[in-house]
């Protein structure tokens, strides 16, 4: 393109002025340009990216060798990341201020239009990949344990705080990058119209150059920092977490590699004079560093310098216009950084995976809402937006913890794509501004065909591999059934039924003194009530669960042995308490005025919520009580056959048809999937455990959540035992026992506790450590 056309985009006098004041940042030869990313490390001949790759590989090997012992490297990795963060926020801000200030208003308008256009194109490609993710999912059943997030309201991201720099100093101090960018853009645009702006821009430019040098010095530590980060990550990640989650990890990593190593650099090579090999080679150091550190922010200065060097090395622009090209890169990359990168947009695929993971695939009709609301929410970061997105498509919020468990891996691939994403916008956008874009249709068609074939190969390969070669069995039901008591059990006798000589003896409820003399605490419990009281699959089977664990702890405190009697139903439990068959009824009973007429209720053990066990594909219908009430008698709810349970549900859903049932009938409904019952009402924690056993069902806590305190029971009028029981519960609450056991049994921490030590060479092969 003729030089006069480029001249028209920038005021010639302003450009000359900046060439004078910024010429010290660039020498006339490309060889003398500052190279932040690839300064020699000592006297070693290896390039920095090669040293970084070696550090990455050695880190992986060290993590595999040491296992959990590699956690000692975490502090080194944290120091490296913090050092890289030192210059990032100031560098982004100064690049925007000086870059925008050096341009004219017309140029800024074109920059926003063309840079924004490139951003939208990259988002579109990422969205297409997200929508293709479900095609690779195999048919695997799954379910999840209860999570307190099911009853919590999702707090939407505070976009005003993120984007409006009402207090710029607060934004800088708290690394609110979007607000910092907005502030810097406003200052940069304001400088455009100031005549004496060189007096401000000159020292800011010198400071920007100093920050680039600082970044270069810190970057020399990349091999050591990357080694420490990878050693800690590989050594401490739980292998068991990867068994069923590997499908998403493999698929996301495959798409990320195709996207960052072919789609984006291929797009640059197709649309600009830059060659694919030069782009890949020139950006390798920031890409490796971004992947190893898991932070895209810290490589922004490196990306800016490398993009400038690529343009200069390829001699795409005339020497006297390189300052202008540098200004374009200085503005483009920091400006688009607050916007979600393509790698972050790819994270939306986890929402689709999450539906598949619990056996509740998201309807294609919900895809548009996911994309439309998902991309704006990603401005707040994936950890903030993921609970919102899961709630948006009405998936259990506890899946967020699944996301967190694999984010340590996928975040690195997202950062790799993100680094290439920002470099693509910087290079393609600046080429568009310089009039250097070209559309060679045969090349474009070849690029599209190759990209399509690569993506199709990933989808087909992953689906076939996990459908026919590696098929992960559903094991959560067996994991639940295999649980053991958390603490040391007391000597106990578990009766399959109450002995005949204990019934009808006319005994009265025993007090504390009588129980102590007897030396045995007699406990009635509700059988087959997961996860509160059930037989595990040990040989021989053991009676375990939250309520059973509490009974053992109470007996241990009083130095008593235990006798357990199965007692289905509240009415039968009241009779057995009043006749002295058992001393306490260790079952989580919802506190109500009616139950106080049957039992002496203890202080609350914990607070539960009313949940509904529903079929996965119908869970969206049960999100709100208001919607359910509107259905009237068209709704049929199964529930426990007790007067208090029926009364509670009648208060909530006055017009629904209620179908009382015992636990045996409830299990038959879940096993057969009968359509005569729309939902089964239960306490949310116990309902979630049933869905683990029957993964084609899901537990929903309709909003607003109906909270219910639950308690244990003694015979009505047995104030002596009730006072002692209450005192023990209050003491255990203060010690944190309830919270410990609630997490262990209700939230699924028991399964985590059963995990063996992480496999490592030093422990499992060499036997050097225990």
């Amino acid at each position: 393109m003729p030089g006069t056309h480029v001249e028209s985009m920038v005021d010639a006098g302003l450009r000359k002025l900046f060439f004078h004041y910024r010429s010290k940042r660039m020498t006339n030869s490309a060889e003398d340009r500052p190279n932040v990313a690839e300064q020699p490390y000592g006297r070693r001949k290896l390039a920095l990216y090669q040293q970084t790759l070696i550090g990455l590989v050695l880190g992986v090997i060290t993590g595999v060798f040491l296992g959990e012992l590699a956690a000692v490297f975490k502090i080194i990795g944290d120091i490296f990341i913090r050092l890289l963060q030192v210059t990032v926020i100031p560098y982004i801000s100064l690049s925007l201020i000086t870059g925008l200030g050096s341009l004219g208003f017309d140029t800024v308008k074109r920059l926003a239009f063309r840079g924004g256009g490139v951003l939208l194109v990259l988002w579109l490609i990422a969205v297409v990949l997200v929508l293709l993710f479900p095609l690779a999912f195999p048919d695997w059943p799954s379910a999840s344990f209860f999570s307190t997030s099911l009853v919590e309201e999702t707090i939407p991201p505070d976009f005003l705080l993120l984007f409006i720099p009402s207090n710029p100093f607060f934004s800088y101090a708290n690394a609110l990058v979007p607000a910092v960018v907005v502030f810097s853009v406003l200052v940069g645009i304001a400088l455009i119209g100031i005549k004496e702006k060189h007096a401000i821009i000159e020292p800011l430019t010198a400071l920007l150059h100093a920050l680039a040098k600082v970044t270069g010095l810190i970057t020399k530590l990349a091999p050591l920092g990357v080694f420490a980060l990878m050693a800690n990550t590989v050594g401490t990640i739980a292998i068991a977490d990867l068994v069923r989650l590997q499908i998403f990890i493999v698929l996301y990593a495959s798409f990320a590699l195709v996207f960052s190593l072919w789609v984006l650099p291929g797009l640059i090579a197709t649309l600009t004079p830059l060659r694919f090999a030069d782009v890949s080679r020139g950006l390798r150091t920031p890409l490796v560093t971004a992947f190893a550190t898991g932070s895209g922010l810290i490589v922004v200065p490196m990306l800016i310098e490398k993009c400038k060097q690529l343009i200069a090395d390829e001699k795409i622009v005339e020497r006297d216009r390189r300052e202008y090209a540098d200004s374009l890169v200085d503005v483009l990359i920091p400006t688009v950084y607050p916007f979600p990168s393509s790698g972050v947009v790819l994270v939306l695929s986890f929402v689709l995976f999450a539906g598949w993971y619990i056996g509740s695939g998201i309807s294609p009709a919900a895809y548009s809402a996911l994309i439309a609301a998902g991309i704006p929410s990603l401005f707040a970061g994936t950890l903030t937006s993921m609970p919102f997105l899961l709630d948006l498509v009405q998936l259990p919020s506890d899946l967020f913890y699944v996301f967190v468990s694999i984010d340590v891996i996928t975040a690195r691939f997202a950062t790799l794509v993100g680094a290439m994403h920002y470099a693509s916008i910087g290079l393609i956008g600046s080429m568009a501004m310089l009039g250097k874009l070209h559309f060679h249709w045969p090349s474009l068609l070849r690029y599209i065909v190759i990209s399509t074939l690569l993506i199709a190969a990933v989808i087909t390969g992953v689906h076939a591999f996990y459908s026919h070669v590696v098929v992960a069995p559903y094991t959560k039901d067996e994991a639940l059934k295999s649980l053991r008591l958390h603490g040391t059990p007391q000597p106990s006798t578990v009766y399959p039924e109450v002995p005949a000589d204990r019934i009808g003896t006319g005994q009265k409820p025993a007090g504390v003194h009588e129980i102590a003399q007897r030396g045995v605490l007699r406990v009635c419990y509700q059988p087959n009530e997961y996860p509160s009281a059930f037989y595990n699959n040990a040989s021989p089977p053991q009676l375990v669960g939250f309520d059973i664990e509490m009974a053992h702890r109470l007996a241990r405190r009083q130095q008593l042995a235990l006798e357990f009697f199965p007692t289905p139903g509240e009415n039968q439990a009241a009779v057995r308490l009043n006749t002295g068959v058992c001393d306490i009824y260790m079952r989580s009973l919802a506190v109500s005025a009616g139950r106080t007429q049957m039992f002496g209720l203890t202080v609350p053990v914990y607070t539960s919520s009313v949940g509904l066990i529903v079929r996965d594909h119908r869970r969206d219908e049960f999100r709100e009580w208001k919607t359910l009430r509107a259905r009237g008698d068209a709704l049929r709810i199964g529930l426990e056959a007790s007067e208090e349970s029926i009364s509670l549900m009648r208060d909530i859903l006055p017009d629904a048809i209620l179908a009382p049932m015992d636990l045996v009938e409830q299990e038959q409904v879940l096993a057969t999937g009968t359509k005569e019952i729309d939902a089964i009402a239960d306490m949310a924690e116990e309902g979630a455990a049933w869905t683990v056993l029957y993964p084609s069902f899901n537990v929903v806590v309709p909003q607003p959540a109906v909270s219910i305190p639950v308690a244990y029971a003694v015979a009505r009028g047995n104030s002596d035992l009730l006072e002692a029981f209450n005192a023990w519960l209050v003491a255990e609450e203060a010690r944190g026992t309830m919270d410990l056991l609630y997490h262990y049994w209700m939230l699924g921490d028991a399964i985590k506790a059963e995990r063996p030590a992480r496999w490592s060479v030093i422990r499992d092969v060499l036997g050097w450590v225990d």
Side-chain angles (χ1 to χ4, degrees):
M1 178 176 290
T4 53
H5 183 71
V6 178
E7 294 278 353
S8 65
M9 295 191 296
V10 184
D11 179 78
L14 182 59
R15 185 160 49 80
K16 291 179 180 179
L17 180 65
F18 265 87
F19 181 75
H20 171 74
Y21 284 106
R22 300 182 68 183
S23 59
K24 294 183 180 180
R25 291 184 54 193
M26 176 185 290
T27 61
N28 290 334
S29 63
E31 292 76 7
D32 295 331
R33 290 172 54 82
N35 188 347
V36 175
E38 295 192 2
Q39 296 290 339
Y41 185 72
R43 294 185 177 182
R44 298 180 62 179
K45 296 180 180 180
L46 292 175
L48 184 59
Y49 86 92
Q50 294 172 316
Q51 300 172 37
T52 306
L53 279 175
I54 293 174
L56 188 150
V57 172
L58 291 178
V60 172
I61 294 173
T62 302
V64 172
F65 183 82
L66 295 179
E68 295 170 345
L69 297 177
V72 298
F73 294 105
K74 183 177 185 300
I75 183 65
I76 300 176
D78 289 343
I79 292 173
F80 174 63
I81 289 179
R82 289 179 180 272
L83 285 174
L84 284 174
Q85 291 172 337
V86 169
T87 61
V88 172
I89 297 296
Y91 191 97
I92 289 177
S93 181
L94 290 174
S95 291
L96 282 171
I97 292 173
T98 58
L100 284 172
S102 67
L103 303 175
F105 283 110
D106 291 340
T107 304
V108 171
K109 291 178 182 178
R110 293 188 181 93
L111 198 63
F113 177 77
R114 296 179 184 181
V118 178
L119 176 65
L120 292 177
V121 170
L122 300 189
W123 276 357
L124 178 61
I125 298 174
V127 166
V128 171
L129 292 182
V130 168
L131 299 180
L132 292 175
F133 259 73
L135 298 178
F137 297 155
D139 295 328
W140 291 354
S142 190
S144 58
F145 282 85
F146 175 77
S147 170
T148 54
S149 61
L150 286 174
V151 299
E152 297 173 354
E153 293 186 8
T154 302
I155 301 176
D158 188 350
F159 290 107
L160 289 179
L161 179 65
L162 282 172
F163 285 92
I164 306 301
S166 57
N167 183 349
F169 299 102
F170 177 85
S171 301
Y172 278 100
N174 291 276
L176 299 178
V177 180
V180 169
V181 168
V182 170
F183 174 75
S184 303
V185 167
L186 292 175
V187 174
I189 292 176
L191 283 174
I192 295 175
I194 297 178
K195 294 182 179 179
E196 301 300 327
K197 59 186 176 182
H198 62 276
I200 298 176
I201 294 180
E202 181 181 4
L204 293 182
T205 300
L207 181 57
L208 181 64
H209 189 34
L211 290 176
K213 287 189 175 181
V214 172
T215 301
L217 293 174
I218 297 173
T219 303
K220 292 180 180 180
L221 301 174
L224 176 61
V226 168
F227 164 80
L229 288 167
M230 294 307 298
N232 172 67
T233 300
V234 174
T236 58
I237 190 170
I239 296 177
D241 287 338
L242 305 181
V243 175
R244 285 189 56 83
L245 300 177
Q246 60 182 303
I247 176 65
F248 178 74
I249 296 173
V250 170
L251 186 57
Y252 186 93
S254 299
F255 270 136
L257 290 174
V258 170
F259 203 5
S260 57
L261 301 182
W262 165 255
V263 174
L264 294 182
L267 185 64
I268 295 172
T270 302
L271 299 179
T272 74
L274 294 167
R275 292 175 296 181
F276 178 87
D278 295 330
V279 172
S280 301
R281 182 171 56 252
L283 296 175
R284 57 196 172 191
T285 297
L287 291 181
V288 171
T289 304
F291 176 81
T293 61
S295 173
L297 184 63
I298 61 178
V299 298
V300 168
M302 201 184 307
L303 284 173
I304 292 174
E305 295 302 320
K306 292 303 297 181
C307 288
K308 293 178 184 178
Q309 185 176 341
L310 273 172
I311 295 173
D313 288 348
E314 295 302 311
K315 299 179 175 59
I316 295 172
V317 296
E318 295 80 357
R319 184 172 300 173
D320 61 345
R321 295 189 181 89
R322 288 181 188 171
E323 283 293 326
Y324 171 56
D326 283 357
S327 297
L328 296 176
V329 177
D330 278 336
V331 172
L332 276 169
I333 294 180
T335 301
V336 299
Y337 183 82
F339 293 83
S341 72
S342 301
V344 174
V345 174
L346 281 179
V347 172
L348 294 177
S349 60
F350 177 81
V351 180
L352 304 181
F353 168 80
W356 169 85
Y357 184 72
I358 64 171
S360 302
I362 298 173
S363 170
Y367 287 2
S368 58
L370 173 65
I371 300 302
I375 292 179
S377 72
L378 291 173
F379 279 95
T382 55
L383 295 181
T384 301
S385 63
M386 191 54 65
F388 164 75
L389 295 174
L390 292 171
D391 183 65
L392 177 70
V393 296
Q394 300 177 330
L395 289 175
S397 297
D398 61 336
L399 288 168
F400 171 68
Y401 300 103
V402 178
F403 173 74
V404 172
S405 71
I406 60 176
D407 185 56
V408 66
I409 298 176
T410 57
R412 298 183 184 276
F413 288 96
T415 307
L416 174 68
V417 176
M420 195 66 232
H421 167 94
Y422 300 125
S424 300
I425 294 178
L427 293 173
I428 297 176
S430 60
M431 291 299 99
M433 291 297 296
L434 293 167
K436 300 292 185 178
L437 289 188
H438 57 78
F439 294 92
H440 186 245
W441 292 110
S443 299
L444 187 60
L445 180 61
R446 181 181 60 184
Y447 164 76
I448 294 174
V449 170
I450 294 176
S451 300
T452 303
L453 291 176
L454 286 173
I455 294 169
V458 169
I459 294 173
T460 305
V462 171
H463 180 80
F465 183 75
Y466 286 101
S467 294
H468 305 291
V469 180
V470 176
V471 180
Y474 179 69
T475 59
K476 281 190 178 180
D477 54 344
E478 291 301 316
L480 174 60
K481 293 178 181 179
S482 66
L483 296 181
R484 300 174 183 269
L485 295 176
H486 181 272
T488 303
Q490 283 293 97
S492 62
T493 302
V494 180
Y495 290 90
E497 59 184 23
V498 179
D501 60 354
R502 298 283 181 88
I503 300 176
T505 59
Q507 294 182 3
K508 293 182 179 180
V512 175
H513 182 66
E514 294 172 288
I515 295 173
Q517 284 186 324
R518 184 202 304 153
V520 176
L521 180 67
R522 295 170 178 168
V523 178
C524 284
Y525 70 94
Q526 173 71 50
N528 299 321
E529 188 163 62
Y530 296 89
S532 300
F534 61 96
Y535 282 99
N536 65 15
N537 57 11
S539 181
Q542 301 170 343
L543 182 64
V544 298
F546 179 90
D547 295 338
I548 305 304
E549 180 100 39
M550 290 291 289
H552 277 277
R553 288 179 178 253
L554 173 60
R556 184 163 64 251
R557 176 64 61 180
Q558 303 299 325
Q559 297 182 344
L560 299 170
L562 283 164
E563 291 181 347
F564 289 102
F565 304 103
T567 307
E570 296 179 23
N571 293 332
Q572 193 176 27
V575 172
R576 292 182 178 179
L577 286 172
N578 291 328
T579 57
V581 173
C582 50
D583 304 314
I584 57 177
Y585 185 31
M586 298 291 278
R587 187 200 176 184
S588 303
L589 293 169
V591 174
S592 67
R595 284 196 171 98
T596 61
Q597 303 304 309
M598 301 174 60
F599 307 104
L601 294 177
T602 67
V603 295
V605 180
Y606 62 88
T607 299
S608 183
S609 298
V610 176
L612 297 177
I613 304 173
V614 302
R615 294 168 190 81
D616 280 335
H617 68 277
R618 296 191 61 189
R619 68 189 184 281
D620 294 348
E621 304 173 23
F622 296 86
R623 295 296 181 180
E624 295 182 351
W625 291 117
K626 179 181 178 181
T627 303
L628 297 177
R629 282 190 286 268
R631 295 177 59 178
D633 59 4
L635 189 65
R636 188 176 177 86
I637 303 293
L639 74 169
E640 181 185 0
S642 70
E643 293 182 5
E644 292 305 309
S645 297
I646 294 173
S647 176
L648 173 62
M649 189 53 58
R650 183 63 66 200
D651 290 339
I652 301 174
L653 299 174
D655 299 322
I657 297 176
L658 304 183
M661 61 179 65
D662 58 28
L663 284 178
V664 175
E665 293 172 319
Q666 174 177 314
E667 188 164 9
Q668 289 176 346
V669 171
L670 296 173
T672 60
T674 176
K675 297 182 179 179
E676 297 178 0
I677 300 296
D678 295 300
I680 298 175
D682 203 344
M683 284 188 289
E685 294 85 350
E686 295 175 354
W690 281 110
T691 65
V692 171
L693 297 176
Y694 297 94
S696 60
F697 286 82
N698 198 292
V699 67
V700 179
V701 178
Q703 298 297 316
V706 178
S707 299
I708 304 173
V710 298
Y712 295 138
V714 300
R716 193 167 184 268
N718 193 353
S719 58
D720 179 40
L721 180 59
L722 182 61
E723 289 177 2
F725 203 176
N726 281 337
W728 175 76
L729 287 173
V730 170
E732 292 301 304
E733 174 68 27
R735 294 188 184 98
T737 300
M738 275 70 158
D739 185 62
L740 171 68
L741 296 184
Y742 185 86
H743 280 77
Y744 184 81
W745 291 105
M746 306 299 188
L747 303 187
D749 285 2
I751 293 179
K752 301 176 184 178
E754 295 292 327
R755 291 173 179 165
R758 236 305 296 278
W759 185 93
S760 63
V761 174
I762 193 174
R763 175 185 291 109
D764 298 280
V765 178
L766 301 177
W768 292 352
V769 296
D770 296 329

